[in-house]
């Protein structure tokens, strides 16, 4: 939501007449289309706590690293902690909001919580971070979201986890043999 629209708008302004198609999905959902040549590039991510590799036929360009932030209702007692950091162990009795179970974000949350000795009680799931933050702002739970996925809104507090700074790394994948002349402009 914060990177792709502006990048595509700039590309279409600078290269009038080009044809751009956007397909949205989880990395594994779109990977076959990239490998088959139906897509030229794919914006993907991986979490430190859920590492993964891509097929050898693909080249990756690292775009950015981003912290994962803890979001909770602004009236939550822990939202007023000094230094705006929270210990993960203090969150074991909370209701969590997460992405779909098969996503790397949900898997990373499970692993992070397991390292603190608990399994998160997940009541709501959405892959749309605006929905996740909206649920949190309304007091329905807490969530761990990528910093760029967290849109400030009334009722929402953003904090960091103490001692741990889990991250999400964002990449562009493309076939190593793809000769599309626009790929350099896209990158």
């Amino acid at each position: 939501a914060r990177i792709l629209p502006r990048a595509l708008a700039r590309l279409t302004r600078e290269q009038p007449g080009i044809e751009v198609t956007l397909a949205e999905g989880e990395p594994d959902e779109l990977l076959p289309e990239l490998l088959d040549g139906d897509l030229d590039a794919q914006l993907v991510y991986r979490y430190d706590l859920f590492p993964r590799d891509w097929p050898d036929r693909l080249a990756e360009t690292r775009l950015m690293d981003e912290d994962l932030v803890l979001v909770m209702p602004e009236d939550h007692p822990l939202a007023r902690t000094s230094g705006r950091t929270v210990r993960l162990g203090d969150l074991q009795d909370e209701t969590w909001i997460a992405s779909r179970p098969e996503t790397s974000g949900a898997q990373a949350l499970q692993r992070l919580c397991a390292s603190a000795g608990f399994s998160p009680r997940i009541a709501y799931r959405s892959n749309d971070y605006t929905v996740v933050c909206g649920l949190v702002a309304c007091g329905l739970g807490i969530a761990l979201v990528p910093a760029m996925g967290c849109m400030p809104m009334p009722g929402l507090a953003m904090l960091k986890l103490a001692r741990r700074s889990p991250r999400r790394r964002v990449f562009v994948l493309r076939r190593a043999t793809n000769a599309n002349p626009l790929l350099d402009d896209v990158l």
Side-chain angles (χ1 to χ4, degrees):
R2 293 191 179 182
I3 297 173
L4 200 55
R6 281 183 273 171
L8 291 177
R10 180 177 174 193
L11 180 66
T12 58
R13 271 193 316 273
E14 292 176 357
Q15 301 282 345
I18 65 169
E19 181 180 329
V20 176
T21 303
L22 173 66
E24 185 179 354
E26 289 297 310
D28 288 332
E29 293 171 341
L30 296 176
L31 198 56
E33 293 180 51
L34 180 64
L35 290 167
D36 290 343
D38 296 330
L39 294 176
D40 287 313
Q42 184 177 358
L43 189 65
V44 297
Y45 52 85
R46 70 172 155 245
Y47 290 81
D48 288 346
L49 296 164
F50 195 75
R52 65 167 306 157
D53 291 317
W54 311 109
D56 289 339
R57 297 178 11 208
L58 299 178
E60 69 178 22
T61 300
R62 191 172 183 165
L63 294 182
M64 62 181 282
D65 297 345
E66 61 181 322
D67 290 330
L68 301 181
V69 296
L70 179 69
V71 290
M72 62 177 45
E74 67 182 1
D75 61 354
H76 191 289
L78 292 175
R80 295 184 276 284
T81 59
S82 65
R84 306 286 288 175
T85 61
V86 176
R87 288 179 350 108
L88 187 60
D90 293 338
L91 304 171
Q92 64 184 351
D93 296 326
E94 297 291 332
T95 298
W96 287 83
I97 301 164
S99 53
R100 294 189 323 234
E102 71 277 5
T103 65
S104 55
Q107 296 296 319
L109 175 64
Q110 289 287 348
R111 289 180 181 183
L112 183 65
C113 292
S115 74
F118 72 96
S119 181
R121 188 177 71 246
I122 299 171
Y124 305 95
R125 292 191 183 272
S126 174
N127 282 10
D128 183 330
Y129 292 122
T130 303
V131 172
V132 170
C133 290
L135 293 169
V136 170
C138 288
L140 296 174
I142 65 172
L144 193 64
V145 300
M148 288 196 66
C150 186
M151 303 296 260
M153 61 179 64
L156 189 69
M158 292 179 269
L159 298 97
K160 288 191 174 192
L161 292 176
R163 287 208 221 162
R164 295 202 172 221
S165 185
R167 304 194 91 184
R168 180 173 85 159
R169 305 190 190 283
V170 182
F171 301 86
V172 171
L173 291 181
R174 65 194 181 290
R175 290 178 313 289
T177 58
N178 189 336
N180 185 328
L182 290 175
L183 277 176
D184 286 339
D185 291 337
V186 168
L187 294 174

